[in-house]
Amino acid sequence: MSGDNAASLNNFLAQNGFRRSQNIAYRPACEECQACVSVRVPVDGFAPSRNMKRVLADNSDLIGTIAPNSYTSEQYALFRRYVEARHPEGGMAEMSVLEYRAMIEESAVETFVVEYRRRGIDSAFTGRGEGDLLAVALIDRINDGLSMVYSFYDPTLASKSPGTYLILDHITRTRKGGLPYLYLGYWVEGSGKMDYKKRFLPQEHLTQEGWKIR
């Protein structure tokens, strides 16, 4: 995707089940399999479960700050720790610093990063966290919502369910931005690594008849 029509094209493709990787839009199209289902959360109808409220409380010491989609060495160091601990056999395990930079920066649409740090003494005045970078979310803004392109976090925080927290925080950000949907990418029924997505209810799945409430 490039050129003057990149944003409108990305809007259309995202709403029809495509995902963005740098300036390429893609959607799984396996001839005999339709397991990959596009998922989005209608944020106005969402209410956190008891467990999700606990996750919000456990991570209340974090503050997310919006930043340009620009590479930093601090981001990459955190990314390396994350993939080595959580997805050592995954496709991103060998991602070089140049490839990571391209993932963050190469976008022809409205893209930003949310960086999370701990709440500090001056955070009430500055609105910013302090100290080490603990989590990052790469986000596209489309005309009817936010799309979570990729996120990662300090693996030592795993017991606090930071992945769930990042989604909950972006549901709030989507709602505050006056947008109806948070796009979560693909979900595959029976995949343990994707089971967390089905907990965010209500949610819509893209079917051959369009988006349907699950």
Side-chain angles (χ1 to χ4, degrees):
M1 293 180 293
S2 61
D4 295 339
N5 296 321
S8 59
L9 177 60
N10 188 54
N11 290 331
F12 174 81
L13 292 174
Q15 291 158 6
N16 285 275
F18 284 77
R19 298 287 287 168
R20 183 186 68 80
S21 177
Q22 296 165 232
N23 288 321
I24 297 173
Y26 68 92
R27 184 174 66 179
C30 302
E31 191 169 313
E32 298 183 1
C33 177
Q34 297 181 352
C36 294
V37 179
S38 295
V39 175
R40 69 185 186 184
V41 178
V43 298
D44 283 345
F46 174 80
S49 66
R50 180 182 301 179
N51 176 265
M52 290 175 180
K53 290 178 181 178
R54 178 189 60 78
V55 171
L56 287 168
D58 287 347
N59 291 278
S60 61
D61 60 334
L62 297 183
I63 292 182
T65 303
I66 293 177
N69 58 312
S70 300
Y71 156 86
T72 69
S73 58
E74 188 180 25
Q75 287 174 9
Y76 183 66
L78 178 61
F79 169 78
R80 292 303 322 162
R81 294 200 303 274
Y82 172 79
V83 295
E84 289 167 8
R86 305 289 294 183
H87 305 289
E89 307 300 327
M92 290 185 164
E94 302 302 322
M95 182 178 281
S96 70
V97 63
L98 292 178
E99 291 169 327
Y100 173 83
R101 184 168 192 162
M103 180 179 76
I104 296 294
E105 296 187 352
E106 289 186 11
S107 172
V109 301
E110 184 178 348
T111 302
F112 59 90
V113 166
V114 183
E115 297 185 337
Y116 294 82
R117 303 176 193 270
R118 293 203 190 280
R119 192 178 302 275
I121 295 175
D122 296 327
S123 295
F125 304 101
T126 66
R128 295 176 173 271
E130 299 176 3
D132 294 337
L133 183 64
L134 298 177
V136 173
L138 179 65
I139 306 297
D140 282 350
R141 189 188 191 283
I142 58 179
N143 61 2
D144 69 347
L146 298 181
S147 176
M148 299 191 73
V149 178
Y150 192 71
S151 60
F152 54 94
Y153 53 81
D154 186 333
T156 66
L157 301 179
S159 63
K160 299 173 67 174
S161 301
T164 296
Y165 171 73
L166 293 180
I167 294 176
L168 291 170
D169 185 54
H170 278 82
I171 287 174
T172 299
R173 291 174 183 272
T174 304
R175 187 183 291 131
K176 287 183 176 179
L179 299 168
Y181 299 110
L182 178 65
Y183 288 78
L184 299 183
Y186 299 119
W187 169 74
V188 176
E189 186 172 7
S191 170
K193 290 185 177 180
M194 295 188 179
D195 267 355
Y196 70 93
K197 293 185 181 183
K198 67 183 183 182
R199 299 169 53 226
F200 297 88
L201 300 174
Q203 65 180 233
E204 296 182 2
H205 291 184
L206 184 59
T207 72
Q208 292 183 344
E209 292 77 39
W211 290 96
K212 302 289 185 181
I213 289 285
R214 175 179 178 272

